[in-house]
Amino acid sequence: MTRAEEFEELRPLLFSIAYRILSSVSEAEDAVQESWLRYEASPTQPASAKAFLSATVSRIAIDVLRSARVRREEYPGRWFPEPLLADPYEDPERSAELADSVSMAALLLLERLSPLERAVFVLREVFGFGFGEVASAVGRSEAACRQLAVRARRHMDAGRARFEADRQEREELAERFFDAFREGDVDGLRELLAADVQLVGDSGGKAPTWGKGIFGVENVARMLAAIVAPLVRIGGVVEPCEVNGQPGAIFRDRDGKVVNALTFDILDGQIQTIRAVINPDKLRHLGPVADAWAVIREANQARRRTD
């Protein structure tokens, strides 16, 4: 097998590691490409391509994350990860860890960790690397990595939801949600939302959003019902799909361009948080991006014509 063939076989794993460390599709893809360049340029063939490339992409991602954290601290408004529609890496033996670790809620918890803690947690807890491999990847001793893993696990466990719905329950609730949403059914939406539900958006200051958010079942239900009718009236489409391993949807304008990506957390049989990524810079990997301001203006005009 050539180096190029080995790399292509490992590409899904490398991307999945980098995305969980960086929470960015574009940055993860860049880290994977840089890993290939270093692998191609290596004068000797590593004993294990997987170990070499996993360590390389982890180190690159750690360095990128260190600079990214400064930018995120200065980010206007709420910051969410770039939405991921499909994780390219599959491992039946670690399917639960892989699915849980890519959710928006989990990635936001990972943001609380230092870059080293985050990399150690991802390699050890998500992908099951041995501590020797983790130590080699992050350039620390095994003992130090064990301490980093303990701290990271403690932070992650402290922030996890009390009870999360299983996949079937999530899918059934999501189906009911989108039925009520499309119909603008306030009562139907109200039944599915937690009393303290939040509707929050990440616009990066480049698209319309709801300020700090909309809170409470009544406010969120009415806002959701008010959004959909004008959007559909101007040819928009709500396309339910899995976003970061959770129920979600892509909103498109009449030309099929992406307006935003939405996902929600389900807790105790109700929707607790609805997150919308509206920043066009975080949507470009999903396809052509719409002018969200223009879509909102047209939707508002359509609503006024029918009032």
Side-chain angles (χ1 to χ4, degrees):
M1 185 180 293
T2 66
R3 286 195 182 193
E5 289 170 336
E6 287 179 320
F7 175 79
E8 288 303 323
E9 187 174 275
L10 291 165
R11 182 190 287 272
L13 170 64
L14 302 178
F15 174 85
S16 294
I17 290 171
Y19 178 76
R20 285 165 174 80
I21 296 174
L22 292 167
S23 292
S24 166
V25 173
S26 54
E27 290 176 342
E29 289 174 342
D30 289 345
V32 171
Q33 183 60 26
E34 178 63 24
S35 298
W36 160 247
L37 295 176
R38 296 188 188 184
Y39 183 46
E40 184 184 36
S42 176
T44 58
Q45 177 64 30
S48 167
K50 178 182 177 181
F52 178 90
L53 284 164
S54 298
T56 301
V57 82
S58 297
R59 290 174 194 148
I60 293 168
I62 289 169
D63 289 342
V64 173
L65 182 60
R66 284 179 173 139
S67 61
R69 284 167 72 91
V70 176
R71 297 194 304 273
R72 291 174 191 178
E73 288 172 0
E74 300 171 349
Y75 192 81
R78 289 179 179 263
W79 180 93
F80 296 151
E82 287 186 9
L84 182 69
L85 300 191
D87 186 355
Y89 179 71
E90 296 180 0
D91 180 351
E93 294 184 2
R94 305 195 68 80
S95 58
E97 292 90 343
L98 290 169
D100 177 66
S101 64
V102 82
S103 71
M104 285 274 183
L107 292 173
L108 289 170
L109 281 177
L110 283 169
E111 285 292 309
R112 303 179 184 181
L113 307 181
S114 72
L116 273 179
E117 287 173 339
R118 184 164 183 163
V120 168
F121 182 87
V122 167
L123 291 171
R124 175 63 183 171
E125 300 296 327
V126 179
F127 292 95
F129 281 66
F131 275 110
E133 296 171 298
V134 175
S136 175
V138 303
R140 295 291 188 275
S141 68
E142 287 191 39
C145 288
R146 290 180 188 277
Q147 292 178 338
L148 288 165
V150 168
R151 287 205 302 269
R153 197 180 306 119
R154 186 183 304 127
H155 284 302
M156 294 296 288
D157 289 345
R160 289 187 192 279
R162 301 182 305 278
F163 171 76
E164 295 177 352
D166 61 28
R167 177 172 290 274
Q168 182 176 349
E169 184 181 358
R170 290 201 309 264
E171 290 174 353
E172 290 174 353
L173 195 148
E175 185 176 354
R176 292 169 57 201
F177 172 85
F178 285 114
D179 284 344
F181 180 58
R182 288 191 191 93
E183 295 169 7
D185 179 0
V186 174
D187 290 336
L189 289 167
R190 197 183 286 122
E191 290 179 5
L192 303 173
L193 303 174
D196 56 351
V197 64
Q198 304 178 47
L199 173 60
V200 287
D202 171 352
S203 71
K206 299 181 178 182
T209 188
W210 307 284
K212 293 183 178 180
I214 298 173
F215 305 92
V217 61
E218 192 66 32
N219 293 331
V220 172
R222 292 192 178 281
M223 174 57 72
L224 290 170
I227 288 172
V228 68
L231 178 68
V232 171
R233 198 172 295 124
I234 63 172
V237 175
V238 181
E239 192 177 279
C241 61
E242 197 168 85
V243 179
N244 286 79
Q246 303 294 313
I250 302 297
F251 287 54
R252 298 184 185 274
D253 69 5
R254 65 160 62 90
D255 299 319
K257 294 181 179 179
V258 179
V259 179
N260 69 43
L262 176 149
T263 185
F264 42 79
D265 298 337
I266 296 173
L267 178 66
D268 296 335
Q270 292 181 307
I271 295 171
Q272 187 73 36
T273 305
I274 303 172
R275 297 185 181 91
V277 178
I278 318 167
N279 184 342
D281 295 341
K282 294 186 176 184
L283 300 172
R284 299 194 195 285
H285 63 284
L286 303 179
V289 180
D291 179 344
W293 292 107
V295 171
I296 292 295
R297 284 195 299 271
E298 188 177 358
N300 287 337
Q301 290 169 359
R303 181 165 48 201
R304 284 194 292 270
R305 285 195 297 268
T306 58
D307 286 348

